[in-house]
Every structure is written in C-alpha cells, then in structure tokens.
Amino acid sequence: MKNRAPRLTNEQYSCNFADIQKPLTTEQAVAEAARCLFCFEAPCITACPTHIDIPGFIQKIHNDNPRGSARLILDANPLGASCARVCPVEALCEGACVLNHNHEKPVEIGRLQRFSTDWFFERGMPELFELPEPNGRRVALIGAGPASLGCAAALRRMGYEAILFDRNPEPGGLNTYGIAQYKMTRQDSLNEVEYVKSLGVSVRCGVEVGRDVQTEDLLRDFDAVFLGVGLGGTHKLGIPGDELPGVVEALLFIRKYKTQSYGEVPVGRRVAVIGAGNTAIDAATAAVRLGAERTWILYRRSEAEMPAFDYEYDLAKQDGVIFQWLTAPVEVVGTGVVEGLRCVRMRLGEPDEQGRARPEPIPGTEFLLEVDMVIPSIGQEKLVEWLAGIDGLQLERDRVVVDPATGMTSVPGLFSGGDCVNGGMEVVNAVAEGKLAAAGIDQFLSARAAT
Amino acid sequence: MADLSVRFAGIYSPNPFWLASGPPTNSGDQVKRAFDLGWGGAVWKTVGEPIINVCSRYSSVDYGSHRMMGLNNIELISDRPIADNLREIAEVKKLYPRHAVIVSLMVESKREAWHDIVRRTEDTGADGLELNFGCPHGMSERGMGAAVGQVPEYTTQIVEWVKEVARTPVIVKLTPNVTDVRYPGRAAVRGGADGLSLINTINSITGIDLDDFTPRPKVGGRSSHGGYCGPAVKPIALNMVAQIAGDDACRVPLSGIGGISTWRDAAEFIALGCVTVQVCTAAMHYGFRIVEDLADGLANWMDERGFKRIEDFRGKALPRVSDWGDLDLNYKTVAQIDEKLCIGCQLCYVACQDTAHQCIYVGEASGASEGDSAAAEARAADGARRALGIAASAGHAPTWVPEPFQVRGEPIHTLVSGHGLLGDEAREVRVPWVKQDDCVGCNLCMLVCPVPDCITMVEQDTGKPPMSWNQFQRQARD
C-alpha cells in the first residue's frame, strides 16, 4: 500500500468499534416497554418475517419476566439476538408500529429485543424449551449462516437431528464475518451459534461441500438436505487495475478486521469505496474507524437511488464519509500499488428494464481521485458454478428456485433458503426462510414416511 | 383575577390550599417555608404525647413509569414534645397572622386529657383544631385515632368534651376505614363539630418483596399495615366527600383530602362542596413549590369560566350526584370511531369482543352493516373470528412452527418481507368499526383508546321520554 494510515492506539480502536447502540438499562427497558400499546393482532408481528410476538415479549419485559420474554423471541426466531442488533427495524417492526400514525416515535422494539436476548446470554442461556426425543431422522445443512441456523433450530425442536457443514473455520456465516463490529461482534454471533448448538444441533466447520464431501452423498446419507450457502465474494469492478494490491473487496475487508487485531488490518490514508449499499457503508465506516484520513463513497446513481438504509447513510455522514454521487470508477491507476482512481461523472438516462434510471457517463468529465485503497462493494456474486454442480437444481437469475410454501428446490429432498434463494436480504429473512424450509422438510419426510 | 380566598367555619385562608397533617407539617420551619411559597394554610402534624417511630416508614405503588401513584405510611403522630410543637405554632401564627394554622390533636380518650390539650393549643393563637379520629395504624391499637373514628358513640363523646372548652372551630377528620362514612360524620356533627375533613388514609399493604416475602415498608424483616394515600385514593375520597356533602345531617364546612395533586383535583373536590382542600402526598413527592400551579391553574380556570370567587362554583357538581335509581334508562349513547384519527391498535376491538358487548368489528366495510344486514353480520362475525384466530396463533401457539402467517385471511409467506405493510394503507385496513345497533354505550372502547378524541360517545335520540328505574318501579306498581 502506498500510504498506509498510521496505526491507532488500542484505546482508540476499542472506542471506535464500541457498541454503537448502548444497551438499555432495566429501568430504561421497563419505561420503553410501557410505551407499547399491546396492539391486538399487532402489525409489528406481521411486519417481522419471523413473526415474533413482539407485544408479548415487550409485555413480559414490562412485567419483569425476562425469561419469558427471551423465550417468546427465541421461540419465533433463534437468531433473535443478532436480529435485535442488525435488523433494519424502521423498515420492519418499528416501521409498522402504530405509534407512527400517532406522530410519535415507534416503540424501540430492536433495543427491547436486545435487552431480553442479552439477559438470556448473560444468564448463561437458561433452558427455554423442552426438546423432543430425536425421531431418528437426520438432516444435513450446507452452510452455517443464519438460514441454516434458523432451519436447524426449528428442525431440532421438531425432533430431527440437524448437522451443519461450513467451509469457514467458524460458524455463523455473515453474522460472524460480515457485519460491522460496532453493530455486532464476532463473539455475539458465536454465542448465538452456541445457543443453537445447545438445542442439540451439530456444527462441523472447515468442511467444504463439493470438495470434502459431495452434495449427492449428503442427499443419499441424510433424510433431507438444506442448502444455505448464501452468496459468493464481491463482484469484481471489471476495470483496468482492479487486481492491484490495495484493491480489497468489502466483505473481505470486513472479515479481516473482525478476525484480526485492528492494527494488523492495512488501511489506506485515502480510501474509495465503490457502491452505496449497506455493506459499502459498513466498509467505509470501518475504514474511517481504522484510521483512514479521507474516505469516499462513489455511487454511479444519485442519492435518491442509494440502496443503503437512511440510518446507515446518516452513520456514514457522521463518520465524515464523503459521498460522490453520479460517479463511476474507470480505472484503478498505480505502479505496483493503488495510487489513484480515475473516475467519470455520470448522468441518469432512460429507465432500464427494471424501471431504474440507467446511469451513463458524461464524456469529458474524467478526473483522478488520489487514493491508496479501493474497496469494491457492488454486490455479491452468486455461487453459480457451485450451484450448477448439483444435478437437477433449477436456478433462475442465478438464484436457487424453491417452492415458496415449502422451501423445496427442484431436487426432491433438497431444500433451500437465505441469500442464495432471495438474492441477498436481511438476517431475519434468512431465518424466516430457514424456518419455512424446516416445516417443508417435516412435511416432506412425514409424507414420505406415510407412504 | 379570581379571588381564591375562603372562610372555613370562620377561619380566613388566602387560598383553599392547606397542607394536610403529616410529615410536611412537622415543624415550624417547614410550615413557614410552605407559607412563603404560597400555601394558604397548614394542619400541624398531630400533637399528642410524643411517640416512638419505627424505621423504615413509607412504601409506595408505582404505575408504569410514574412513581408513587399511591403512598403508604406507618409513621405515627408527632414524635416531638408537645411544648416544642406549641411554641413553634405560636411563633408561626405570630409571623403569619393571615394564614390558617390548624392544629391536629390526638390524646387519650379521657375528658381531662382533651380539655388540657385543647386549652394549651388554643393558647398558641392557632386558628382551629382538627381532631385526628382517623389514623389507621399504631395509635388505633392504643384506643386512639381510627379506634375512635370507627365508633360513632366515641366520636360524639370526644367532640362533646372538646367543644366544652374550645373557643376556635373544631374540625373532625374522618377515617375511610368504615362501611359508611356518613355514620361517623353525623356522629361528629352531633357532638358539635364545626367542620369535617376527609378522608384520612386507607388501611393498606402496598406490596410484598418476593425475594424475602416481607411486606413493605420493611422494619427488620417484618411490616405492618399502613395508611394509603396519593393519587390512587382520589376516587374513593371524592365519593366519600359526595356522600357527606349530600347528607342533611352533615351540614358543616368540608375540607377535602385524598390524592389532590393538581388544580383540577382541587377544583373537583370544591365542586363537590369542599371549602378547602388538603394536600400531602403531592407535596411529599415534589416539594412545597407545587402550590404555585395549584393556585395559578385554579385561578386561570376560574377566570376562563367567569367564576370570581370559590363560592361561585363550590358544590356545583353536587346536584348531579344521583342515586342509580334516578338515572334515565332511556338515555343512549353509542361509540363512534374517527377513521382519520384511528392508529389501528385494535385495543377497542379486542376489549369489546372479549370483555364488553361484542359490537366492534375489524375487516369489513362499516357501510355494510346498514343495507344487507344479515350477510354483513355474517361477514363481520367471520372477520372477527379470523382476526381472533390470528392473534391466538401469534400469542399462544408456538410460532416456531412456521405456518404461513395470515392477514385478513390471506396467507403471507415468510419469503415476502413486511415492506408492503407500512404506511397509511396499513393503518387504514386496521381501523375497526362499530355496529352501533348492538352498542350499549358502555364507554370501554373510548377508555382503552390511546388516541384522544378518536372514539367518542355520540348521543342517540331514542324518541322515548326520560324514565328512571325508580319511575319504572312506581309505574309498575300503579
């Protein structure tokens, strides 16, 4: 790297990556819980893809029944702790809170959910559910991210044996490796996996399906298989120079700083992040917090089209990230290492087939941005090749096709959910789809047993 | 500006706000500070043979995030020597000649003891006496306080003894710990009382510590029942004041006590006939400074309503306190929901369906209840069942079995996130409607609704003349 940002002190790092949202004290939680109207057939429940009984768990916080509260949450969503931290609540439960219609701020459902789930983990995971005896049927789950964990927990609670395989050294998927530290630590994610394991689910890490074991073998040896492999790496920029040292794709960058000590993660003095999704924000704020002096986010469309949620955008602005709208990279320049990024100004042209205005370069507007590091964050690749290796698996737009009612793929006994099906959504969607597939698996195996 | 001054049985007070006998009026310094801040009068904490108090003494009941909805105490009367109290009373009265200084008294049930304390107290120049026949703990076991107030004969007897020597007005403070407060009230008036004050505190245990199973307030691993006061007791106090104020055998000035915290509370007691009001818990919660808004708020309201003096609205609510049997059976209101204001919480709906009179529905157009009523009713009932079914699955059945979640009977697959369910459209589909033909006008929906003015009770013309139960009975007899 041409100009590496100077290392910060450990105090600075821990301050920069400290919890962005302070947990509620008991008094605060009880007071906030008192704001909940306890709606009937509450719209927040509907808005949550896992349908947590939100007024129910809030009532239990208010009534000093934290265990009951944690049980209601984890009953509907075994990853309730990470969802409490990373859910885009204003687009889900809090967005649906009826208090919005009363010109009030909605009940802080996410923070209350965190209060109960924190209690659960701080108390050493007291037993919440009576588990049925194993029914003798086994399900293999490929990938140990949110979708598989959601599926496995539901399966185990229905009596199935569930075994997760993950090629990474640690389970949890993007919850472990891909979420900004100040939202959720690696340990938070691993604790949650421990909870799922405490239900009797097995997790085998460092096992790559397709290399160490074949999907066909799993389909043969297990009663059903769940595919929760998520997506691949970040798309390449596809411009000259995108292989230069100093070009680090966003998810890899986040993974590095979450698995190494902060000081070991190289970050440039001047950093350009390409793309304006939520992961781009996570990467840009991480660069700032690791010591980058100037950080830009380049987006080829305008502010209005930005996919990042508003609060993520606000966070980046607070961190001093400079947004360059209608700007696209043309070439990464540098001899041996990144020295700059040649960019071009864009304008919004005719709408494309999805109705989004198509950005087009304005000739003669090229300029050079002097940067030491380029972080592409323009979406994850689909695991097309890997998925194509599964015989008979139907894909559409590179996504796994499933029956929306059961989660079953075109391969009998093979189910799927999460990012590889939905193309990349929230943790809570992955869990919901995992749960749905668990019910589908139960239905499928029960029907098979009956014939 | 409205004139707040009053005369209570001849005692002048610059405003109707008196500090009630209790911890706030335990010493001269406290009472002086209170007068400086604007209190019109003070009833000195009960003077008698000094007692020994326990530790701790108070406990409370919180409601939601609001502290001290109700306060309970096991403190006794003054623990200071009688001479000290009397000296300070004389001093205060000298410094504040225009303020009302009333002294609460409690001594053994002996004629000489009462004669003695009355004479010594009146020598201080105090404006009046309040006989404490209400204290529900500690003193009652010794034959004083509530032990006197609960036996009308004792009450009459002691008031008579006091009146034998008293030169200033004698107020009797009534205990609410009786079946009918009018009996001790009448007994006091029979004995010659010049005024009544009510209510004293209500027997109470505020709560149990579930860790060590000790009631509160704790005194070395045990507790005792105490006296309950504060906002929680106001409705009980208002009723008892209304009972006394409406009783022909209790035609004396009243001083209202019980949970008064704001000028509105005070105005309500005055509207039921009280001349003065006494405040204790609110002062203990926020300090003496609260009197500023008590007086300011009351004066502003009186100005707006055109009341120049307290007398102008005193007792105005009393003629409207009626026996149930005289209420009009043909008066009818029905609930009406403002669809624009409704936020869709559906608390009215579940309250009406589960616990009231089953006339609020969700999910079908309200217009449908008119025209084709049989079909509409069936649809509505169906909608209600469906909605209840959804809630049952959300609230009680294990939600981890991921059945397709339903909204208005339509399954919503979990693969679809909730994004489409936000905004005003989401609100509109949740607005309940009232089948007014079935509505009995009970008010419950309006009471549970969190949005002001969203549910109103609309008067209906029944076309029938007023008819009370008593009239109905008479007609049936004739």
Side-chain angles (χ1 to χ4, degrees):
Chain A
M1 197 167 288
K2 189 175 177 209
N3 295 297
R4 195 183 149 156
R7 281 196 180 82
L8 307 178
T9 64
N10 285 340
E11 287 72 32
Q12 280 171 312
Y13 284 127
S14 54
C15 172
N16 286 355
F17 288 100
D19 229 336
I20 196 158
Q21 182 86 286
K22 291 275 167 289
L24 295 171
T25 63
T26 303
E27 291 72 21
Q28 288 169 331
V30 170
E32 185 61 19
R35 296 184 61 236
C36 175
L37 297 177
F38 205 44
C39 291
F40 184 73
E41 193 197 320
C44 53
I45 304 179
T46 319
C48 172
T50 61
H51 307 318
I52 295 173
D53 178 0
I54 292 164
F57 90 71
I58 291 178
Q59 183 90 337
K60 287 172 189 294
I61 292 175
H62 186 254
N63 296 348
D64 189 21
N65 178 6
R67 183 167 173 224
S69 179
R71 174 157 48 203
L72 267 192
I73 295 164
L74 296 175
D75 182 36
N77 182 345
L79 269 59
S82 53
C83 288
R85 288 169 165 80
V86 305
C87 260
V89 286
E90 77 278 8
L92 298 170
C93 52
E94 293 184 18
C97 177
V98 298
L99 292 183
N100 290 302
H101 305 305
N102 207 27
H103 313 294
E104 283 179 64
K105 89 183 168 68
V107 175
E108 291 193 84
I109 297 167
R111 293 181 80 191
L112 287 170
Q113 184 166 317
R114 175 165 171 193
F115 175 81
S116 294
T117 51
D118 276 356
W119 178 93
F120 174 71
F121 286 105
E122 280 160 16
R123 287 295 178 103
M125 305 196 290
E127 189 185 308
L128 299 179
F129 307 106
E130 266 183 53
L131 294 169
E133 287 298 312
N135 61 17
R137 281 174 287 188
R138 299 159 72 225
V139 180
L141 299 98
I142 307 174
S148 293
L149 289 167
C151 184
L155 284 170
R156 181 60 202 94
R157 291 185 57 201
M158 289 187 278
Y160 295 89
E161 196 180 332
I163 300 160
L164 281 71
F165 299 91
D166 198 297
R167 63 193 167 109
N168 289 301
E170 287 179 319
L174 284 183
N175 267 4
T176 302
Y177 293 113
I179 288 172
Q181 179 80 356
Y182 48 76
K183 287 187 216 157
M184 184 161 82
T185 67
R186 206 168 107 251
Q187 194 55 49
D188 291 331
S189 170
L190 296 177
N191 288 347
E192 208 163 34
V193 176
E194 280 310 307
Y195 160 64
V196 174
K197 282 163 77 175
S198 77
L199 300 173
V201 169
S202 318
V203 180
R204 295 188 192 153
C205 280
V207 180
E208 186 168 342
V209 177
R211 186 191 68 193
D212 306 319
V213 55
Q214 301 305 315
T215 313
E216 290 71 28
D217 300 337
L218 295 176
L219 279 167
R220 188 191 60 229
D221 297 342
F222 287 80
D223 293 290
V225 175
F226 178 81
L227 207 53
V229 293
L231 301 170
T234 308
H235 282 296
K236 292 265 178 301
L237 286 177
I239 56 175
D242 69 358
E243 304 277 351
L244 278 174
V247 179
V248 185
E249 57 124 319
L251 280 173
L252 191 65
F253 178 59
I254 294 168
R255 181 182 177 129
K256 270 188 180 169
Y257 93 80
K258 289 202 74 169
T259 51
Q260 301 173 3
S261 63
Y262 299 121
E264 286 171 28
V265 185
V267 61
R269 273 181 187 272
R270 295 158 67 89
V271 178
V273 177
I274 320 297
N278 296 312
T279 302
I281 305 266
D282 280 359
T285 55
V288 173
R289 287 157 195 254
L290 285 168
E293 284 158 16
R294 300 202 84 170
T295 302
W296 287 267
I297 279 186
L298 273 49
Y299 184 49
R300 60 191 178 133
R301 291 187 167 91
S302 73
E303 187 175 349
E305 288 82 24
M306 173 181 59
F309 289 112
D310 286 348
Y311 71 91
E312 298 279 5
Y313 180 35
D314 290 342
L315 183 66
K317 283 191 289 189
Q318 280 164 27
D319 275 7
V321 173
I322 305 156
F323 283 79
Q324 292 276 333
W325 308 112
L326 294 163
T327 304
V330 182
E331 182 190 1
V332 184
V333 293
T335 33
V337 291
V338 172
E339 289 172 11
L341 188 64
R342 192 176 305 286
C343 306
V344 65
R345 297 290 184 201
M346 310 290 279
R347 66 175 160 229
L348 294 178
E350 293 301 306
D352 61 14
E353 56 275 9
Q354 285 163 31
R356 287 212 301 178
R358 202 191 302 266
E360 34 188 58
I362 306 171
T365 58
E366 290 197 6
F367 67 97
L368 184 74
L369 194 63
E370 282 182 33
V371 292
D372 309 298
M373 187 177 189
V374 174
I375 304 179
S377 183
I378 51 174
Q380 284 173 266
E381 290 169 348
K382 313 285 192 299
L383 294 166
V384 189
E385 265 177 52
W386 190 89
L387 293 169
I390 299 171
D391 233 12
L393 183 65
Q394 192 194 338
L395 302 181
E396 204 179 284
R397 282 161 54 215
D398 299 339
R399 301 176 190 185
V400 177
V401 176
V402 298
D403 176 346
T406 64
M408 189 150 90
T409 68
S410 54
V411 180
L414 180 62
F415 293 75
S416 186
D419 283 357
C420 63
V421 170
N422 63 36
M425 286 179 83
E426 306 301 326
V427 175
V428 69
N429 300 98
V431 176
E433 293 172 27
K435 270 172 58 175
L436 186 103
I441 290 168
D442 182 49
Q443 216 175 17
F444 174 77
L445 294 180
S446 304
R448 201 179 65 181
T451 55
Chain B
M1 187 75 168
D3 176 6
L4 296 185
S5 69
V6 291
R7 270 187 191 280
F8 185 100
I11 303 168
Y12 173 82
S13 181
N15 64 43
F17 304 111
W18 291 359
L19 282 170
S21 170
T25 56
N26 193 35
S27 69
D29 284 346
Q30 287 170 286
V31 174
K32 283 187 265 182
R33 192 156 68 241
F35 285 169
D36 286 342
L37 285 166
W39 291 89
V43 183
W44 207 276
K45 184 168 164 90
T46 308
V47 174
E49 286 305 325
I51 50 72
I52 300 169
N53 271 311
V54 293
C55 167
S56 59
R57 304 176 193 178
Y58 311 141
S59 60
S60 70
V61 176
D62 300 337
Y63 192 75
S65 52
H66 204 91
R67 302 282 276 168
M68 266 168 64
M69 174 187 80
L71 177 69
N72 165 84
N73 85 86
I74 58 170
E75 202 171 287
L76 304 183
I77 65 170
S78 179
D79 54 7
R80 307 172 65 218
I82 294 176
D84 290 4
N85 275 314
L86 297 182
R87 193 181 61 248
E88 288 174 21
I89 290 166
E91 192 184 299
V92 167
K93 192 58 218 174
K94 212 163 134 194
L95 285 168
Y96 298 86
R98 299 278 288 164
H99 287 70
V101 178
I102 314 295
V103 183
S104 173
L105 298 177
M106 185 197 289
V107 290
E108 270 184 288
S109 296
K110 289 182 180 157
R111 192 177 180 196
E112 298 71 34
W114 279 102
H115 281 184
D116 178 59
I117 194 71
V118 167
R119 287 196 183 101
R120 287 169 70 192
T121 305
E122 291 192 334
D123 286 344
T124 63
D127 298 291
L129 309 173
E130 185 184 81
L131 309 187
N132 181 347
F133 293 171
C135 195
H137 50 261
M139 306 311 288
S140 49
E141 291 93 319
R142 308 173 199 185
M144 295 182 264
V148 175
Q150 284 165 339
V151 184
E153 293 75 19
Y154 295 173
T155 301
T156 306
Q157 175 69 75
I158 291 177
V159 177
E160 280 172 359
W161 289 340
V162 169
K163 286 297 288 182
E164 283 168 2
V165 293
R167 289 163 283 137
T168 60
V170 174
I171 305 164
V172 172
K173 184 163 176 176
L174 301 177
T175 174
N177 300 312
V178 291
T179 18
D180 187 336
V181 74
R182 286 173 296 192
Y183 289 88
R186 289 167 189 162
V189 174
R190 208 160 41 236
D194 302 294
L196 296 173
S197 58
L198 70 163
I199 59 173
N200 208 312
T201 55
I202 302 172
N203 288 337
S204 64
I205 290 176
T206 48
I208 310 290
D209 182 333
L210 288 177
D211 290 331
D212 62 13
F213 297 102
T214 312
R216 299 186 185 94
K218 297 180 189 180
V219 182
R222 314 179 123 232
S223 190
S224 172
H225 79 273
Y228 198 47
C229 53
V233 311
K234 187 185 119 187
I236 297 163
L238 281 176
N239 175 54
M240 290 192 171
V241 164
Q243 281 185 296
I244 292 285
D247 192 73
D248 284 337
C250 297
R251 291 267 170 259
V252 291
L254 302 182
S255 188
I257 313 169
I260 296 162
S261 313
T262 68
W263 68 265
R264 278 186 174 278
D265 299 331
E268 288 170 28
F269 276 86
I270 295 168
L272 280 176
C274 294
V275 180
T276 63
V277 293
Q278 299 185 25
V279 178
C280 182
T281 307
M284 291 180 74
H285 198 161
Y286 301 110
F288 293 144
R289 61 200 165 127
I290 60 164
V291 74
E292 191 277 330
D293 191 61
L294 285 172
D296 184 49
L298 185 63
N300 285 335
W301 172 76
M302 286 171 65
D303 285 348
E304 265 171 44
R305 296 295 303 266
F307 298 129
K308 294 195 161 46
R309 304 174 50 78
I310 295 286
E311 279 306 309
D312 293 351
F313 75 97
R314 193 174 69 81
K316 261 191 172 313
L318 214 45
R320 294 175 183 272
V321 180
S322 169
D323 282 343
W324 190 93
D326 292 326
L327 299 176
D328 179 10
L329 297 173
N330 287 334
Y331 175 74
K332 175 141 174 80
T333 62
V334 294
Q336 185 170 294
I337 299 171
D338 185 328
E339 293 179 11
K340 293 270 179 300
L341 289 177
C342 174
I343 59 173
C345 70
Q346 297 184 358
L347 289 179
C348 58
Y349 166 63
V350 69
C352 185
Q353 285 293 336
D354 280 3
T355 66
H357 301 89
Q358 296 81 44
C359 68
I360 298 185
Y361 296 94
V362 176
E364 304 292 336
S366 57
S369 68
E370 272 89 52
D372 180 17
S373 68
E377 249 178 73
R379 278 202 306 277
D382 183 50
R385 264 198 310 277
R386 279 207 314 264
L388 289 162
I390 293 164
S393 73
H396 310 294
T399 45
W400 59 270
V401 180
E403 286 166 18
F405 200 71
Q406 295 202 337
V407 172
R408 313 240 169 285
E410 296 297 318
I412 289 196
H413 287 298
T414 48
L415 294 182
V416 181
S417 83
H419 289 256
L421 293 163
L422 310 183
D424 206 49
E425 239 181 330
R427 182 192 71 83
E428 277 169 11
V429 300
R430 292 183 51 87
V431 175
W433 57 277
V434 182
K435 187 153 177 282
Q436 295 187 333
D437 289 348
D438 292 350
C439 177
V440 303
C442 75
N443 285 352
L444 181 63
C445 55
M446 178 182 75
L447 300 177
V448 301
C449 179
V451 182
D453 304 325
C454 176
I455 300 183
T456 43
M457 304 305 292
V458 189
E459 234 176 279
Q460 302 290 97
D461 184 7
T462 56
K464 296 176 192 163
M467 161 76 76
S468 71
W469 174 249
N470 290 342
Q471 287 171 319
F472 182 72
Q473 292 284 86
R474 275 196 296 276
Q475 271 187 11
R477 264 201 313 273
D478 297 341

